Amino acid sequence: MKTITLNTPLDMHLHLRDNDMLQTVAPLTAKSFAAALVMPNLVPPITTKEQLKSYAQRIKIAQGEEDFEAHLTLFFQPTYTKEFLEEVREDIIALKLYPAGITTNSDGGVSNFDIEELRPTLSAMSELGIPLCVHGETNGFVMEREAEFVSIYEQLASAFPNLKIIMEHITTKESVEALDKYPNLYATITIHHLLITLDDVAGGMLQPHLFCKPIAKRPIDREALRRVALSGHPKVMFGSDSAPHPQSAKESCGCAAGVFTAPIALQLLVELFDKEGADRENLQKFISDNAKNIYGIHPKEKRVTLEQKPFQVPPIYGNVVPMYAGEEIGWSIGLVE
Ligand code: DOR
Ligand code: ZN
């Protein structure tokens, strides 16, 4: 049987939620990943040191016995001072900026991208070496939102050349092209955006469990994402954007955005790299090494062996339906040590 061992897999964009949902999903990521960057879009969003401390505690309890480190993020607000950021520095890995209202629980995000308005907080982050993670979409036409946001990335990248800016869950060739134009722009890519296009979401019967923000784009965009991920490009990291919602919120009139991939992300990733004949070293870079370099983190080592053996995706985890529910995928998780 063919096997592939990954060293210290990292998920650099993850939604763990809270309460019952946290109990359901945290162990699934904690089992097969060594660490993850956890998003702050709770209700209310994470904006204080107290919230960071107590969320970290709740995650610790929910992850159980697994060796796993949750790196928290703070919900970006342009009012944060340098003093405040110094106080929370030890509790966070980055800040996450959401345009106001663009996605789940982002109402308190940024509504004005005037650089001068953002300057005090972004300069402080730059001085303190705190990276900025960005959900890059305008409120324009849904298929163009990310491409339109590229000019904002460019303004930010040139105005704050020492600030590491991570373009989260990129879905377009325009974002891929921006990567190489600015030394301080980086990106995460999800497994679902490497696998699907808009056709899979809405080309036939509408598939609520594949609906997310940013929405999956054109084949040409998926090609660009695959090229950059499969090549092990040093500025690109895996970030699942696994975003669980209760089945009732997905299979309803007004479907919540988010694809739940935590339990199958590694299997699908290995399957894709294997099918495409990509270099194993590039997979290792994409799943771990690049993120370690970009964020300067030193996660505790965890070796995860994937086996080329069918895995039947469960129909549901708690009350959350995963991507490819009930279907068979080609790889399974074997030994974790
Ligand atoms: O599809 C998405 N779901 N995109 C996001 O940006 C947020 C996420 C969520 O929190 O549900
Ligand atoms: Zn997300």
Side-chain angles (χ1 to χ4, degrees), residues 169-315:
H169 44 51
I170 59 170
T171 62
T172 61
K173 69 175 181 24
E174 286 81 0
S175 298
V176 171
E177 285 158 11
L179 260 183
D180 287 326
K181 291 195 197 141
Y182 296 86
N184 54 333
L185 280 186
Y186 303 85
T188 57
I189 302 182
T190 74
I191 181 61
H192 49 285
H193 290 118
L194 289 170
L195 293 175
I196 66 171
T197 67
L198 183 60
D199 243 9
D200 298 286
V201 186
M205 302 266 266
L206 192 64
Q207 300 299 315
H209 299 293
L210 299 181
F211 171 65
C212 65
K213 302 279 182 73
I215 195 136
K217 303 291 187 315
R218 301 169 174 82
I220 192 176
D221 295 303
R222 181 178 59 181
E223 243 346 279
L225 298 175
R226 284 192 180 184
R227 212 172 317 119
V228 79
L230 294 168
S231 71
H233 190 297
K235 295 173 85 182
V236 174
M237 311 166 263
F238 176 65
S240 70
D241 197 14
S242 176
H245 291 276
Q247 184 178 25
S248 58
K250 294 290 288 176
E251 298 176 10
S252 76
C253 184
C255 166
V259 182
F260 178 52
T261 53
I264 53 166
L266 279 187
Q267 298 92 311
L268 293 177
L269 208 55
V270 168
E271 184 167 25
L272 174 69
F273 273 68
D274 181 61
K275 267 197 187 138
E276 295 291 313
D279 217 325
R280 286 195 190 189
E281 283 166 26
N282 292 350
L283 174 56
Q284 180 57 38
K285 289 179 193 166
F286 183 59
I287 196 65
S288 183
D289 301 356
N290 292 345
K292 283 191 210 167
N293 292 335
I294 294 166
Y295 280 101
I297 51 174
H298 306 282
K300 188 163 169 216
E301 193 166 306
K302 185 178 214 170
R303 298 179 75 79
V304 181
T305 299
L306 283 290
E307 303 171 341
Q308 193 173 32
K309 171 173 106 182
F311 175 66
Q312 181 82 25
V313 182

Side-chain angles (χ1 to χ4, degrees), residues 13 15 17 39 41 96 98 102-105 135 137 169 192 211-214 241-245 250 256-259:
H13 183 134
H15 297 270
R17 313 298 195 207
M39 288 297 152
N41 60 332
K96 173 68 185 287
Y98 289 94
I102 202 68
T103 189
T104 312
N105 306 334
H135 182 118
E137 288 194 286
H169 44 51
H192 49 285
F211 171 65
C212 65
K213 302 279 182 73
D241 197 14
S242 176
H245 291 276
K250 294 290 288 176
V259 182

